[in-house]
Amino acid sequence: MTASDLQSGLAIKVDSMALRGVVCALPTQVVKNQTLAAQFGEKEVNDVIKMIGVHERRLAPPHQTAADLSQAAADRLLDELGWARDTVDALIFVTQTPDYTLPASACALQARLGLKRSCAAFDVNLGCSGYVYGLWLAGKLLDGRAIKRVLLLAGETPSKITDPSDRSTAMLFGDGGSASAIEFDAGAAPAHFVLGSDGAGERHLMIPSGRYKPYLGDDARLEGRDPTCLFMDGGEIFNFTLSNIPQLVSDTLETAGKTREQVDAFLFHQANTFMLKHIIKKAKLAPERAPINMDRYGNTSCVSIPLLLVDKCPQVQSAPQTVAMFGFGVGYSWSGAVLDLPVLAVNRLIEV
């Protein structure tokens, strides 16, 4: 495993990691943004839909959490793969909406899924970049001895932390959960990652209050807002993304030794359709190789990349594919990966 610094982040090669299957679980409730016209005004709603590209989203009911959705995905994945529960050596849960402040939801999920007590389990508090970070962490854990199988869960319920009266977020985010099965395979093609962060952007996408650092009322952008709900400065996020992600695409491809034509699918975090189209154009990618599905699901944070895989890439179950993945946003944090995927035994979307 080697690592080096690039303009956009730390480049890392991971050997012996094979992705075997992915399942995403969505709530059954579908909310169409057009139904919010009575609240925000028809013109305003149409303008937002045109800009962000979200027509409908899935919202979890009050009793359903990100851990619940991810557990349902994991149960289905393990059953369809035929993995015995006592063969999972580690569980990673990526989320910013855990069940509790403590304990870690991953520990609870270990028991709920019936995994062995010797299974390592921990949460990762990352959002938009979290799925790719999770893949990297899983690859780092695999050693072919103590840890041969890792279950990566990524789940988010942004609906529980958004202010329904905030037009900038109320029509953007959707809920979901996912599970990915990752296994040690000495013959697997190397996976390549580029990871980076810039905490100078922390205040542009955040929940200002509600944990342990008191909000001092020192940000004029938050006047009249509930500081315990999600705040997003869309302009700052847009500028950060266009300034950094095209370079991330180039650096990740260079690290992997791949041309744009050698990649079957470019899977971007589904942040904003207008923004994504700009990134695809600036990165000189063929639009047909960079699918977008946020019109039906919205921005699902760390779930958006696996959701693209199961929703828009059925070919991964019939032939090996080279896939590039790019997460970016809250933190600021960003991540890129290029994986030569074997044929996936499971690639499924379910409702719960």
Side-chain angles (χ1 to χ4, degrees), residues 4 72 97 130:
S4 61
T97 50

Side-chain angles (χ1 to χ4, degrees), residues 7-8 198 235-249 251 275 278-279 282 328 332 334:
Q7 181 176 338
S8 61
D198 180 5
E236 291 286 352
I237 300 299
F238 187 88
N239 291 335
F240 150 72
T241 302
L242 288 190
S243 297
N244 292 277
I245 305 312
Q247 184 65 51
L248 174 65
V249 173
D251 285 349
M275 180 192 298
H278 272 67
I279 294 172
K282 194 170 182 180
F328 48 88
Y332 293 139
W334 58 91

Side-chain angles (χ1 to χ4, degrees), residues 192-215:
H192 297 271
F193 296 85
V194 176
L195 309 171
S197 59
D198 180 5
E202 66 172 317
R203 294 182 73 97
H204 301 317
L205 183 53
M206 70 182 307
I207 298 176
S209 183
R211 287 296 180 96
Y212 310 114
K213 187 176 181 65
Y215 171 60

Side-chain angles (χ1 to χ4, degrees), residues 251-333:
D251 285 349
T252 307
L253 290 173
E254 180 181 346
T255 299
K258 301 285 188 182
T259 66
R260 287 159 172 77
E261 294 71 28
Q262 290 175 310
V263 175
D264 297 298
F266 293 86
L267 306 182
F268 288 93
H269 163 57
Q270 300 291 284
N272 174 307
T273 299
F274 184 73
M275 180 192 298
L276 287 171
K277 290 181 177 179
H278 272 67
I279 294 172
I280 292 165
K281 183 177 180 180
K282 194 170 182 180
K284 300 178 180 178
L285 305 179
E288 63 271 16
R289 295 191 184 188
I292 296 174
N293 68 351
M294 66 180 302
D295 59 320
R296 291 180 290 132
Y297 307 118
N299 179 335
T300 56
S301 189
C302 62
V303 187
S304 65
I305 292 176
L307 184 53
L308 269 178
L309 191 64
V310 301
D311 182 51
K312 292 288 189 177
C313 300
Q315 66 272 23
V316 296
Q317 285 190 274
S318 58
Q321 300 285 306
T322 298
V323 175
M325 303 176 178
F326 303 98
F328 48 88
V330 60
Y332 293 139
S333 175

Side-chain angles (χ1 to χ4, degrees), residues 122-168:
F122 57 93
D123 285 2
V124 175
N125 181 22
L126 280 174
C128 317
S129 65
Y131 183 71
V132 178
Y133 263 91
L135 286 174
W136 165 69
L137 277 170
K140 290 279 288 182
L141 288 175
L142 293 170
D143 61 8
R145 298 182 295 276
I147 298 183
K148 298 179 182 179
R149 286 178 170 174
V150 177
L151 194 60
L152 170 62
L153 308 186
E156 211 71 270
T157 49
S159 67
K160 301 182 188 300
I161 56 174
T162 54
D163 181 348
S165 67
D166 179 8
R167 192 183 71 168
S168 66

Side-chain angles (χ1 to χ4, degrees), residues 37-50:
Q39 177 180 351
F40 294 109
E42 187 170 350
K43 182 181 183 304
E44 288 76 9
V45 168
N46 288 335
D47 287 345
V48 172
I49 291 174
K50 183 178 179 181

